[in-house]
Amino acid sequence: MDKKRLIIGMSGASGAPLTVEVLRRLSKHPEIETHLVVTRGAEMTLLSETDVPVETLRSYASVYHPIDEIGASIASGFFRTMGMIVVPCSMKTAAGIHSGYSDNLLLRAADVCLKEQRKLVLVARESPLSTLHLRNLYELSQMGVVILPPMLAYYQRPSSVEDCTRQTVQRILAQFDLDDAAYEWRGMEKL
Ligand SMILES: Cc1cc2nc3c(=O)[nH]c(=O)nc-3n(C[C@H](O)[C@H](O)[C@H](O)COP(=O)(O)O)c2cc1C
């Protein structure tokens, strides 16, 4: 079976459990080869927000790429992928992608997605958002990037943080048609 490759970039915004759940869910898709790259900021948030050691996170991915390895496969447009999810995406990483300032492997991989016109999804997280953040995100959206902030849908009546995480991960994976149909919204009448 020819596997489809999907890049997962994790940066240092709040939301480390989202990355863990995305990778855990994708590991159940044998047809998908995940390529993970984690910033140093993200290693800190992983430590403060989860009990998952970075080694365990790495083991959930098919391939793990060190952040400074600028010659890695995912740094080249010749390496075909479905695209990339940056989850979570800090405002610093969003600014780096926006400006094309690719001084680490995550930023370079995102830059490759832009230049090759591949799907790029940013799970951008900050609160409140400054005018500068909003300008960067708006202009990224104009470049075809999907801006998918981890926002709650109260109508789904989440009863735990884990529920909220699952809800957001469902939306993220739906961008690549990899979500679980069991969670599909079937309208008010089905409540
Ligand atoms: C616990 C913690 C939570 C943070 N949450 C956010 C956040 O939600 N959004 C954000 O843009 N930056 C956040 N930061 C700051 C970023 O980690 C910091 O700007 C870092 O330099 C980002 O670098 P990176 O994008 O290369 O990971 C947080 C930092 C820590 C330690």
Side-chain angles (χ1 to χ4, degrees):
M1 186 203 328
D2 271 352
K3 292 200 176 201
K4 292 184 181 166
R5 300 158 177 154
L6 183 57
I7 307 170
I8 311 297
M10 179 187 190
S11 67
S14 182
L18 294 169
T19 326
V20 176
E21 182 66 7
V22 163
L23 286 168
R24 210 185 54 77
R25 290 272 295 274
L26 287 174
S27 68
K28 294 183 182 150
H29 285 266
E31 76 282 13
I32 305 293
E33 182 178 284
T34 51
H35 287 255
L36 174 67
V37 57
V38 179
T39 68
R40 275 181 261 286
E43 289 191 13
M44 283 182 65
T45 51
L46 187 72
L47 194 67
S48 63
E49 297 183 334
T50 75
D51 295 323
V52 179
V54 70
E55 295 74 24
T56 306
L57 184 84
R58 287 175 195 167
S59 72
Y60 293 152
S62 316
V63 183
Y64 166 77
H65 301 279
I67 190 73
D68 294 321
E69 210 169 283
I70 216 72
S73 54
I74 58 171
S76 169
F78 282 120
F79 189 73
R80 301 277 170 85
T81 68
M82 298 164 76
M84 178 170 184
I85 303 167
V86 184
V87 56
C89 181
S90 75
M91 292 305 110
K92 179 194 157 202
T93 286
I97 298 169
H98 174 268
S99 65
Y101 188 71
S102 304
D103 75 338
N104 68 40
L105 182 61
L106 187 158
L107 293 171
R108 171 61 189 167
D111 202 35
V112 167
C113 286
L114 279 181
K115 80 182 177 79
E116 301 293 338
Q117 301 192 0
R118 293 177 188 152
K119 190 156 192 168
L120 178 58
V121 176
L122 305 186
V123 183
R125 199 267 160 210
E126 186 49 284
S127 186
L129 290 157
S130 71
T131 304
L132 179 64
H133 300 151
L134 288 166
R135 190 208 63 185
N136 286 346
L137 296 175
Y138 168 66
E139 289 180 3
L140 282 161
S141 164
Q142 285 185 313
M143 295 174 212
V145 175
V146 177
I147 308 298
L148 197 159
M151 286 188 184
L152 282 182
Y154 289 97
Y155 57 85
Q156 290 186 336
R157 306 270 188 119
S159 54
S160 64
V161 178
E162 288 73 25
D163 259 7
C164 301
T165 302
R166 273 192 291 275
Q167 199 183 91
T168 297
V169 169
Q170 181 72 358
R171 281 182 201 276
I172 297 167
L173 296 181
Q175 288 295 321
F176 291 90
D177 290 326
L178 293 167
D179 53 320
D180 186 339
Y183 292 100
E184 205 171 50
W185 174 249
R186 292 171 206 276
M188 290 289 287
E189 66 279 11
K190 299 286 190 303
L191 283 180

